[in-house]
Amino acid sequence: MAASAIRILGLDPGLARMGWGVIDVNGTRLCHVAHGVLTSNAKSDLGARLFALHEALCVVIAGHRPAAIAAEQAFVAKDPSAALKLGHARAVALLAAAQAGLEIAEYAPNHVKKSVVGTGHAGKAQVLLMVRRLLPTAGVETADAADALACAIAHAHLAGTRAKILAALA
């Protein structure tokens, strides 16, 4: 990618599995850099699990040096306990980003799906399919990593829209 490319780290926070994906954006061109899933040991206590996620995410941030982080907001369904655990994982992700001095953007799951698939109520399989289309060299196989890449793509689309508006106003 050219020197004017912007690197974005997308995150799909979760306590058991935290998806991450890195893309470079140069104008309207998207380029896959890396992706993966961070996991925590379900047999460990909550503090140890959060620490493990934090440490692993800090390694990802240091290794890929993104300019911005885009994280999916919490989706609260019927299980308050699961929502609270998700909130802890999101807090760890936001803390790691803040410690690195990065711009943090948060997007509702429906916004991410609409940006990537075209409909806010797309299923995980549809998101995976569209991420594979938009980033054909990625070879993404897991829904967690695909959701994280989709979040980065949604941020890239929004950043591109902002740039066009600012250019039109100048």
Side-chain angles (χ1 to χ4, degrees), residues 7-13 19-21 66-73 93-94 97 102-107 112 147-156:
R7 183 159 285 183
I8 301 170
L9 170 61
L11 295 174
D12 179 32
W20 63 272
I69 289 187
E72 200 170 82
Q73 291 175 338
L94 299 179
L102 298 172
E103 169 194 330
I104 302 168
E106 298 179 75
Y107 298 101
V112 172
D147 286 352
L149 286 165
C151 200
I153 292 167
H155 185 64

Side-chain angles (χ1 to χ4, degrees), residues 14-91:
L15 183 59
R17 299 175 53 83
M18 182 180 295
W20 63 272
V22 180
I23 63 171
D24 282 338
V25 182
N26 193 352
T28 59
R29 186 168 180 218
L30 303 174
C31 181
H32 172 263
V33 176
H35 67 272
V37 177
L38 308 175
T39 59
S40 67
N41 184 349
K43 294 180 181 179
S44 297
D45 67 9
L46 179 61
R49 293 179 77 182
L50 295 172
F51 182 74
L53 289 173
H54 181 265
E55 290 291 301
L57 185 54
C58 286
V59 169
V60 170
I61 291 170
H64 294 288
R65 301 178 55 143
I69 289 187
E72 200 170 82
Q73 291 175 338
F75 171 75
V76 180
K78 297 178 183 177
D79 185 359
S81 175
L84 188 57
K85 289 176 183 175
L86 176 59
H88 291 318
R90 287 188 74 253

